[in-house]
Amino acid sequence: MTPRVRLVPEPRSPRLVRREMRDRTELLTEAVGALPPVYGERWLHVGERAYRQFEPGRSKLSAGLVRGWTGPLPAPGESWLYLGAASGTTASHVADLLGPEGRLYAVERSPRPFARLLALAERWPNLLPVLADARAPRGYAAWVGPALGLYADVAQPDQVAIVRTNAELFLEGAGAPVVLALKTASMGRERDPAGHLEAATRELASFVDLVPSVRLDPFHRGHFLLGGRLRGGAGGPPRSLRPVTRAARPRARRRS
Amino acid sequence: MATAVVVARLGELYLVGPDGRARSFPRAASRELPAAALPAGLERELRTLPGEVALVADEPGRAEAISAVLGRRLGLATDETLRSARRALPRVARTAERAAVLAHARATLERVLASPEEVLISLAREEERFERAVGREQRAAEAFLAPEQTSLREYAAAWAAVRASLERHHERLRDRLAEQARRVVPNLAALVGERVAARLVAGAGGVEALGRMRGARIQLLGSRRRPSPERGPRFGVLYRADRMEDVPPDRRGAYARSLAALAAIAARADATTRADLSPRLVARRDRRVEQLRARRP
């Protein structure tokens, strides 16, 4: 008989669960789609639910969570915009966190990874891929609906500026979550990673109320996760965009 | 001031009037930009707008196109205007939105992948993969057919047939690649050879990206070792460039350096002016080869 699996949901995003094991803690997200695995990740079936292992070595968001990210996370029922989705490794997990009622608009510029992202989107019901350059949001605005949050992993020298133009166009209202996986290696070699982080923090702080950033070493060298909530007028997002709140879901604790 | 906004959403065009109400004007057949195909209803509607209503569009290209049709200057909507106009649009059902976005994604991907440049990159990657695989098979077969393995001799004929067919395929692949390279990057192909030119484009990610690179970067494209101040790599893809074998081995680094500088010029020409510089570049390359051979002690 297999031992009972104990999964602890994360309060900020209940579809993200921690699995406490004797020697380590694993992160998993509750899958929106069905098997086969998206990029070879492990799946865990508990009752009728399927969870996918969210490995810090593969995803900057997961590494950030392992390193103690205290900022906002995608939550069920929300619509998020994802810049730099590549072939969809992290994007599939973000889509998992948004749940079947949520939507993830995933923007990617490069056609080859996009082909894989598109193949994933065909079987991942809340993932909406857009082949476009995140630098020119007007070019793809027709295909992206209003978004509540923004996650960016674009690895470009002007990554903060890209986040800003997209946030200004798509995010509705103050308090919208903004999360940026900063790759300092694409910002030139004139400064060291700490210097880049400081510059990016200063730039981002001009329009976002930041939470403490986290270093993603040793999972991703020279990367940081930073972000917070969009600054602006009073009040949260418009009513139409608030997440779908459901009555506390019965926690399935069937034996597996 | 009253403003009317032309907004596209999921392949349809909307006009959000000064009253904040949105009207949709379905586009006939194509869901694609450019916006040159203005729906007749929308054009009529725009012509009846009073002159004091400012008219703006969501995108520079669309503003341009509608201006040309209407003979009236359209501005670009500010972020704030565009956001409020988008809020006025009717809500789209989840399944309809998903179907439209996926169809658009498929169409744009197909269009992008069909461009000559992307075809060249695909061919270059395929040829590289194929060459590696064939080389691996070759070594395996040589071990397999070693003289002491006489009991397996009977398989040799069968394997030779397979190999011949692989080589035929490789030949065809190389021909297509060469033709495509001569079409997309003529100067570079003449200078370093078609296959290397294609691999350079694939390594850079595109002709434009290659055209922006300096010689030093081109020299190391495709190299495996990490550049370090003490002992860096001297070549990447360029090691297999034309005329590399004519240079004595200890001077190949120097040749790669010169060739990379010329390749940068060729790539820039291919990415921008498309002028034919190849005779001059090839002459300079050949002069350099002679120099390097002459200087041999």
Side-chain angles (χ1 to χ4, degrees):
Chain A
M1 200 180 111
T2 45
R4 241 162 78 146
V5 182
R6 190 174 147 64
L7 300 175
V8 184
E10 158 71 41
R12 285 171 288 172
S13 183
R15 293 175 68 91
L16 177 73
V17 297
R18 283 168 212 275
R19 182 183 179 197
E20 311 281 349
M21 294 160 87
R22 217 173 322 140
D23 51 342
R24 67 209 149 94
T25 303
E26 261 178 14
L27 285 173
L28 301 112
T29 60
E30 189 178 340
V32 170
L35 282 165
V38 176
Y39 56 95
E41 76 282 11
R42 269 195 329 112
W43 283 54
L44 177 72
H45 296 269
V46 182
E48 280 164 15
R49 296 191 190 177
Y51 294 90
R52 301 166 56 224
Q53 196 180 354
F54 193 19
E55 233 183 277
R58 296 295 300 266
S59 164
K60 276 152 233 157
L61 181 58
S62 175
L65 290 163
V66 170
R67 303 283 272 149
W69 171 246
T70 53
L73 287 175
E78 297 176 350
S79 290
W80 277 55
L81 175 61
Y82 191 125
L83 305 177
S87 49
T89 304
T90 302
S92 68
H93 286 288
V94 174
D96 281 353
L97 298 184
L98 297 173
E101 308 293 321
R103 280 169 227 215
L104 182 65
Y105 301 98
V107 177
E108 171 57 40
R109 176 181 69 168
S110 181
R112 256 152 266 273
F114 186 83
R116 289 168 58 192
L117 180 67
L118 179 58
L120 168 67
E122 305 268 6
R123 65 190 184 91
W124 223 250
N126 59 355
L127 187 57
L128 300 161
V130 181
L131 179 60
D133 190 341
R135 278 204 186 84
R138 294 293 177 111
Y140 54 85
W143 307 96
V144 172
L148 187 106
L150 172 67
Y151 181 87
D153 181 4
V154 282
Q156 294 293 323
D158 53 344
Q159 42 200 331
V160 180
I162 292 174
V163 166
R164 179 170 206 154
T165 51
N166 278 279
E168 280 168 357
L169 184 57
F170 295 113
L171 293 191
E172 295 279 348
V178 175
V179 182
L180 167 64
L182 187 79
K183 177 174 181 174
T184 57
S186 11
M187 300 171 75
R189 295 195 175 272
E190 289 80 32
R191 275 182 287 209
D192 59 347
H196 283 311
L197 174 69
E198 201 195 312
T201 307
R202 215 177 312 119
E203 210 180 327
L204 201 61
S206 64
F207 62 102
V208 175
D209 287 324
L210 294 174
V211 301
S213 60
V214 294
R215 234 166 91 94
L216 304 185
D217 293 54
F219 304 110
H220 303 272
R221 217 193 297 160
H223 289 74
F224 298 89
L225 199 65
L226 53 162
R229 290 184 181 279
L230 202 63
R231 200 172 301 139
R239 178 170 296 275
S240 61
L241 283 165
R242 283 189 200 149
V244 179
T245 46
R246 280 188 282 175
R249 291 185 303 178
R251 289 259 298 277
R253 293 293 293 274
R254 299 195 193 99
R255 213 168 296 163
S256 64
Chain B
M1 194 172 69
T3 313
V5 195
V6 181
V7 188
R9 175 96 177 99
L10 298 174
E12 304 227 344
L13 278 178
Y14 294 89
L15 178 65
V16 180
D19 55 351
R21 290 241 296 275
R23 291 186 52 194
S24 97
F25 297 90
R27 264 187 268 185
S30 162
R31 288 181 169 281
E32 292 304 308
L33 294 174
L38 200 58
L42 177 58
E43 193 184 334
R44 250 191 328 262
E45 188 70 27
L46 290 176
R47 286 195 192 282
T48 59
L49 273 180
E52 69 269 15
V53 175
L55 188 54
V56 291
D58 59 347
E59 204 207 344
R62 200 170 342 269
E64 199 77 21
I66 300 178
S67 300
V69 174
L70 236 52
R72 174 182 167 183
R73 201 75 226 133
L74 252 77
L76 188 65
T78 62
D79 282 351
E80 205 33 69
T81 316
L82 183 54
R83 270 174 29 186
S84 62
R86 278 160 64 89
R87 271 198 291 274
L89 301 183
R91 271 184 127 25
V92 183
R94 210 188 152 74
T95 46
E97 180 186 22
R98 184 173 160 73
V101 170
L102 284 178
H104 174 71
R106 282 184 215 113
T108 44
L109 181 65
E110 199 173 316
R111 202 179 55 227
V112 169
L113 287 181
S115 76
E117 181 182 346
E118 291 295 333
V119 170
L120 179 67
I121 295 176
S122 300
L123 282 172
R125 297 213 170 134
E126 177 60 21
E127 200 271 336
E128 197 170 347
R129 248 194 315 264
F130 194 76
E131 188 185 41
R132 241 196 331 262
V134 170
R136 211 164 36 224
E137 286 308 309
Q138 173 93 37
R139 276 193 296 282
E142 274 159 14
F144 177 71
L145 295 175
E148 59 270 23
Q149 300 269 343
T150 40
S151 58
L152 296 174
R153 281 266 147 202
E154 59 196 271
Y155 293 113
W159 193 79
V162 170
R163 203 185 133 186
S165 105
L166 286 180
E167 270 172 8
R168 270 200 306 281
H169 173 69
H170 198 185
E171 198 62 40
R172 274 202 301 273
L173 195 58
R174 269 203 299 246
D175 287 350
R176 247 196 99 184
L177 177 70
E179 191 191 320
Q180 192 76 16
R182 281 195 296 270
R183 208 141 52 101
V184 180
V185 280
N187 289 308
L188 195 61
L191 183 71
V192 298
E194 287 93 358
R195 186 167 59 173
V196 173
R199 286 191 188 180
L200 285 175
V201 172
V207 176
E208 205 193 311
L210 189 66
R212 275 202 298 266
M213 282 187 183
R214 298 165 196 200
R217 188 87 188 275
I218 292 180
Q219 188 188 344
L220 296 185
L221 265 183
S223 65
R224 297 288 171 81
R225 218 189 303 152
R226 205 167 239 285
S228 79
E230 299 85 36
R231 182 168 156 276
R234 285 169 294 170
F235 348 76
V237 175
L238 274 192
Y239 188 67
R240 301 180 62 186
D242 280 2
R243 303 223 57 192
M244 185 61 93
E245 306 94 276
D246 301 344
V247 178
D250 59 332
R251 305 298 293 151
R252 286 187 182 167
Y255 179 58
R257 223 157 38 234
S258 317
L259 189 61
L262 294 177
I265 299 172
R268 227 159 278 176
D270 287 331
T272 54
T273 61
R274 310 282 302 165
D276 181 22
L277 306 181
S278 54
R280 280 157 65 197
L281 291 172
V282 168
R284 282 174 71 178
R285 178 194 76 183
D286 293 343
R287 206 168 65 219
R288 181 69 178 145
V289 172
E290 292 317 314
Q291 266 180 10
L292 290 169
R293 271 145 72 108
R295 235 182 262 165
R296 184 146 179 82

